[in-house]
Amino acid sequence: MERIKRQLDDIVDVNNNNKKQKTFATTNQFNFENLANEIIYDIFEYLDVYDIYYGFYHLNKRFKNLNIYSNLHCQVDISTTSKSNFESYYEDIIKPNKNRIKIFRLSNPFTIDLIFSPPRIICDFIQLENLILDNINSRYLNNIFKHLIYLPKLHSLTVSTIDNIPNPSSIFIQIFQLTKLKYCKIKYNEDGSPINFDECKQSSIEHLIIDSPFRYELFNKLLTCLPKLRHLSINYLTGSNYSEIDFYPILLKDLKSVSFGIYSIHFEEFKKLTENFFNSIESLRISTHNNSSYSHAKQWEELISSSMPNLHSFDLQNHYAGAMQKFLYSCLGGKFGSKFWTEKQWFFKNQDGDHKSSDNGLFFSMNPYRRKDHTFHWHSDHYNAFRSRRIIFKSVKHLYVCGKQVINNFVSYFPNVTELTIKDYARTYCGSMLTALNEMIPLKQLNKSTIDCNDFPINKLVNLLSLTPNLRTLKWNFQSVDHPQVKLIQQSETFRSVSRTNKIQNLEIAHCCTLYEIYFLVDLFPQLECLKTGINRKEFVIIARHFLSKMPHLFYLCITDLSKTYSQKLNILIKAENLLDDYFIKFVDRDLYLWW
């Protein structure tokens, strides 16, 4: 970095020591241009790479050179940008720097066509160390993987697909062929086809995350391919189709950390995995869902003592639902307070919902709480709340809020949350919810929120938006809007203020919207750049026309659950009415994508 900065000093004629120092003008532009290159680079560190390019590249020759020779462009993150802006950035920055880019993230399904076409161009990225492909169409994967093997420094790969993969085995076969790979995270949508590891080679991967359903019986074949594995995380570990699975032991002396989200697997089955594969681990993280077989402290004590002697970090989360499960955890939770647990400084907390409205709850490890996400259940135990000391969850970035009955919370505080998901809402108690949330988290720092319940009142959403001025991304699940109520809301000062000031750029609607509902969304979110929604098919043409003519900032649109004929309809509409000059259309798994 310093070498490049010194080279720039030779290229750019600034701060000439032989000239008298110029008097600073009163304009910010003149003052900024008089800063040394090193200081400008320090400022650039706090800015998005796109903002640096769009704000400075075309300003003058000096700043163009600062862009070209900056090490900032060794890290490229292409997410939300218009087609025209991307093409300019690609020509000015990516193409000249292909042999310098170290980190490359693509999260727009269209950009693969432009950057890796033909696929052999991948081989030009000789310094690439970390490649992240989000929302990629799986049909590109085979050609991309064939060329990744020629990248000498690629050690980290992240892949997530937007469509169903008919044969997920092919992904593992090709990834395991990458001989330099140390880190791999995979997320794929599969149609139920079994994964076959028989053709997989032994891999150099040390850190593997599978963020998709993975069958219990596949462990032996998977781990046989991963002799250097140090960390394994499977977020959806599912039960087997077979009644009896016989595992043979594999010595994985380097495997130190394991994390599982467990579904439909009894504790005795998990015990088999531990006895055969996890004897050397030092850290274990388990999340279960409505499975009381993991609630017995004594069996955990025996398993840890006999099969995991080096374990020093034990993180357990049991999500439960139902009166019987709630009763079990109320009775058995105290067993985790015996001498075995206290000596290891492993402590636990049971958090259940209000008994009048919910039998859901969470039994989880505490002191300290290490996870970046947490599920919070509203409860009405005012007495214990006042007696308990306040618990601060510093590690939590994403908070899930559940429960029908909302009360002010006196115990839990989440100072670093930036993402909020609301799972339940009860209209009879809605008056206190936002006030209670504001006591739990600093709402002003939220940048992403998901409303995952279809009875969340629209007026409360508007109020929530007024309290979250830095929100950029919103996912909203609703059934329909009440026309008279919406008219009253639109006439309110809060709505007018929110529609002027909210910064929502990315909106995803889990609903088939009518034209009237689209009018409401366009009025409420005038800054939208990316929109994903379902629409009433009978109103397709008029709604599509409204999107393209009344939303000046929009450049990315996904309309869900359509037949392929709508791709042609949209293309005809755009050309007939000259709505767009330059655009791409894709159709993937009944979803229509448009980028311009």
Side-chain angles (χ1 to χ4, degrees), residues 369-532:
Y369 188 87
R370 297 181 176 90
R371 303 199 182 200
K372 293 183 179 180
D373 64 302
H374 181 70
T375 300
F376 177 83
H377 292 266
W378 299 108
H379 58 87
S380 60
D381 193 353
H382 291 279
Y383 177 70
N384 285 335
F386 278 113
R387 292 183 63 193
S388 301
R389 65 181 181 87
R390 198 175 205 195
I391 303 173
I392 299 177
F393 295 78
K394 291 183 179 180
S395 66
V396 177
K397 304 294 183 183
H398 185 181
L399 181 65
Y400 297 81
V401 176
C402 305
K404 296 291 186 180
Q405 181 165 329
V406 179
I407 64 164
N408 286 337
N409 168 63
F410 302 97
V411 177
S412 303
Y413 184 61
F414 306 87
N416 299 312
V417 166
T418 57
E419 182 175 355
L420 172 67
T421 295
I422 298 174
K423 302 289 290 184
D424 299 295
Y425 203 91
R427 292 177 184 272
T428 54
Y429 298 102
C430 63
S432 64
M433 184 171 193
L434 297 183
T435 302
L437 280 175
N438 215 14
E439 292 292 324
M440 290 170 53
I441 59 176
L443 290 175
K444 288 186 177 181
Q445 72 188 26
L446 292 182
N447 55 47
K448 183 176 181 179
S449 184
T450 299
I451 310 299
D452 195 18
C453 49
N454 55 27
D455 58 349
F456 198 92
I458 293 178
N459 64 320
K460 296 305 173 187
L461 173 66
V462 174
N463 289 340
L464 177 62
L465 293 174
S466 70
L467 298 172
T468 53
N470 294 304
L471 208 61
R472 293 295 195 279
T473 299
L474 175 65
K475 294 183 179 181
W476 184 16
N477 176 15
F478 69 94
Q479 287 184 327
S480 61
V481 299
D482 180 80
H483 291 201
Q485 182 191 26
V486 167
K487 286 184 178 180
L488 289 175
I489 293 172
Q490 288 176 309
Q491 294 170 3
S492 69
E493 181 57 37
T494 302
F495 179 90
R496 289 193 290 268
S497 174
V498 167
S499 65
R500 288 194 307 268
T501 60
N502 84 79
K503 300 175 183 177
I504 302 292
Q505 297 172 325
N506 307 291
L507 178 65
E508 182 175 334
I509 302 294
H511 173 66
C512 186
C513 295
T514 65
L515 178 62
Y516 182 83
E517 291 166 340
I518 293 298
Y519 286 159
F520 170 75
L521 294 175
V522 171
D523 287 344
L524 182 57
F525 304 111
Q527 303 299 319
L528 277 186
E529 296 178 350
C530 304
L531 173 62
K532 181 177 182 180

Side-chain angles (χ1 to χ4, degrees), residues 320 349-353 360-362 364 374-377 379 412:
Y320 59 85
K349 181 177 176 62
N350 184 35
Q351 182 187 82
D352 56 18
N360 299 337
L362 177 68
F364 60 96
H374 181 70
T375 300
F376 177 83
H377 292 266
H379 58 87
S412 303

